Amino acid sequence: EAQALPAVEVSRETIQAATGAQPRTQVEPHIAVDPNNPQIVVAVVQQGRFPDGGSTALGYAASHDGGQTWVAGDLPQLTVATGGPFERGSDPAVAFGPDGSVYAQTLVFTDPRSAVAVQRSDDGGLTFGAPVLTQDDSDPSVFNDKNWIAVDTFATSPHRGRVYSAWDQGNTVGQPILLRFSDD
């Protein structure tokens, strides 16, 4: 028979919500577990949600004891609130590589610019590096949306460690699904 575990606070908003955003909101969480060490868990989340879309910043939380305790922070250099150029961020997703590296992917935007950003952590999600933009558009007829990230972790794969970034792009042609990958 399964036993209920005590509730554990994963994170709380670490920044002040921008004007017009809803304070003390964390939405669209996504969580991943290190396939090499299930004690390492990383979550990503929007912070300070705007009623018309996006958030003030993107946050993360990491646990190295199977979710009993958590360290929280902000993904750096994405939105203005965290030292980046974009007004808003959205759609956070997270994945682990076969070597334990952690990849956080987000959408970031300032009208008319929208981009897909990926950030890497080499310490189990305790800190993240500067973003790399896998797509960056300033055309007002283009909007990048509904992203996802995955890493090839199959031991026998010739592409083991390859990071895949996918999203759809609303544009004048329709809404095609785009894919980028990185081996470095």
Side-chain angles (χ1 to χ4, degrees):
E1 179 175 316
Q3 292 182 345
L5 297 174
V8 175
E9 183 176 280
V10 173
S11 71
R12 60 175 68 174
E13 193 170 300
T14 57
I15 60 163
Q16 183 174 351
T19 302
Q22 300 162 334
R24 295 176 305 282
T25 56
Q26 291 189 317
V27 298
E28 292 190 0
H30 184 247
I31 193 165
V33 178
D34 186 339
N36 301 306
N37 181 354
Q39 293 296 302
I40 300 176
V41 184
V42 177
V44 289
V45 65
Q46 289 187 39
Q47 301 183 105
R49 176 76 178 173
F50 287 95
D52 60 350
S55 65
T56 302
L58 290 305
Y60 67 89
S63 174
H64 285 208
D65 60 9
Q68 296 303 304
T69 59
W70 293 82
V71 174
D74 304 312
L75 291 174
Q77 301 173 27
L78 287 173
T79 64
V80 172
T82 60
F86 296 94
E87 290 177 8
R88 299 181 186 196
S90 189
D91 296 3
V94 64
F96 276 89
D99 61 355
S101 53
V102 183
Y103 299 91
Q105 181 192 53
T106 55
L107 296 175
V108 284
F109 51 97
T110 299
D111 192 28
R113 186 178 178 199
S114 70
V116 179
V118 176
Q119 291 171 271
R120 180 180 167 138
S121 171
D122 292 316
D123 59 8
L126 298 174
T127 61
F128 283 85
V132 173
L133 301 181
T134 62
Q135 184 75 15
D136 188 2
D137 293 292
S138 293
D139 182 339
S141 67
V142 171
F143 189 77
N144 299 294
D145 202 6
K146 304 302 178 208
N147 59 295
W148 203 252
I149 192 165
V151 184
D152 185 343
T153 59
F154 294 101
T156 59
S157 172
H159 303 294
R160 188 168 195 261
R162 180 174 282 179
V163 180
Y164 294 91
S165 177
W167 66 97
D168 68 39
Q169 183 182 76
N171 59 40
T172 57
V173 177
Q175 201 155 353
I177 296 173
L178 303 180
L179 173 71
R180 297 267 192 283
F181 66 86
S182 174
D183 291 320
D184 64 359

